[in-house]
Amino acid sequence: QASSDHTELVSSRFKGVTLDGENLILDISRSIFEKCFFAEIKPKQAIFHKVKFKNCNFSGADLRKAYFKECIFEDCTLLGADLSTIKLDKVIFKSCRIEDAFFIHSRLLKVEFEDLTLNKVSFNNSQLSSCIFNGCILSECNFSDAIIKDSNFPSTYFGVTFGLRSFKGLMLSS
């Protein structure tokens, strides 16, 4: 648990740690978090660079306005996570559980979603550029007014409940 208002971590390794609190300023780079608990975290500002999250729980986390660059999320859980207005640059989500999460008004650049299910995830008004959804299941996801450019969906299954209504205003380009 972070106790100060500003937390800066460089080249650190954590296992089984709980990080929570509000109004934190986080600046974390070149670190590894394994089996850590980030639920209920609500930082005022968060920057993650070259960080690996393995088997971490972000359920209920409020990471609005956070910035992740060159990060990896592997076997992580993001249930009800608010990732609105987040910036993701060269981020990989592999074998994660992402459900009831929000990427509203977010910017995703070169983000890879690999071998995972996105259930009831909202990408409303988001910009996705050069993203890959490989081997994913998209169920009840919402891409209303999203702009998707130079992105691929190989071996991805769009669930029956996906609905054309979710594609309102969607722009695809290559």
Side-chain angles (χ1 to χ4, degrees):
Q1 183 172 349
S3 59
S4 67
D5 287 343
H6 184 113
T7 302
E8 184 174 346
L9 302 170
V10 179
S11 300
S12 303
R13 184 175 181 95
F14 298 91
K15 188 170 182 175
V17 173
T18 296
L19 187 63
D20 63 9
E22 293 188 19
N23 298 317
L24 299 172
I25 297 174
L26 301 173
D27 188 353
I28 301 173
S29 60
R30 297 183 309 278
S31 297
I32 298 172
F33 290 89
E34 188 174 348
K35 295 182 182 176
C36 293
F37 191 72
F38 291 88
E40 300 179 23
I41 190 170
K42 188 177 180 178
K44 184 168 149 182
Q45 177 184 342
I47 299 170
F48 298 90
H49 183 235
K50 294 186 178 183
V51 175
K52 182 173 183 176
F53 302 96
K54 186 169 174 74
N55 293 311
C56 292
N57 189 337
F58 290 87
S59 297
D62 184 344
L63 292 168
R64 288 179 284 179
K65 299 182 181 178
Y67 177 58
F68 290 84
K69 183 172 182 172
E70 299 175 27
C71 294
I72 298 171
F73 293 80
E74 188 175 340
D75 296 314
C76 292
T77 302
L78 295 92
L79 302 179
D82 191 348
L83 307 162
S84 298
T85 63
I86 198 168
K87 291 180 183 172
L88 302 174
D89 185 359
K90 299 176 187 165
V91 172
I92 298 171
F93 291 92
K94 184 172 182 164
S95 303
C96 294
R97 182 175 174 208
I98 306 175
E99 190 171 323
D100 293 314
F102 300 96
F103 287 90
I104 298 171
H105 290 285
S106 295
R107 292 179 54 193
L108 288 71
L109 175 63
K110 297 181 180 177
V111 175
E112 295 180 32
F113 295 91
E114 297 179 18
D115 301 319
L116 54 84
T117 298
L118 292 112
N119 186 31
K120 298 180 182 175
V121 175
S122 180
F123 291 93
N124 294 40
N125 294 294
S126 290
Q127 296 177 20
L128 292 81
S129 297
S130 302
C131 294
I132 298 173
F133 291 77
N134 188 17
C136 297
I137 297 173
L138 303 179
S139 177
E140 295 186 59
C141 292
N142 192 334
F143 288 86
S144 295
D145 297 317
I147 297 172
I148 301 176
K149 183 178 179 183
D150 299 325
S151 296
N152 293 309
F153 295 80
S155 304
T156 292
Y157 173 75
F158 294 87
V160 175
T161 56
F162 199 77
L164 292 176
R165 192 173 70 179
S166 295
F167 286 108
K168 177 182 172 268
L170 176 66
M171 294 176 53
L172 296 173
S173 66
S174 58

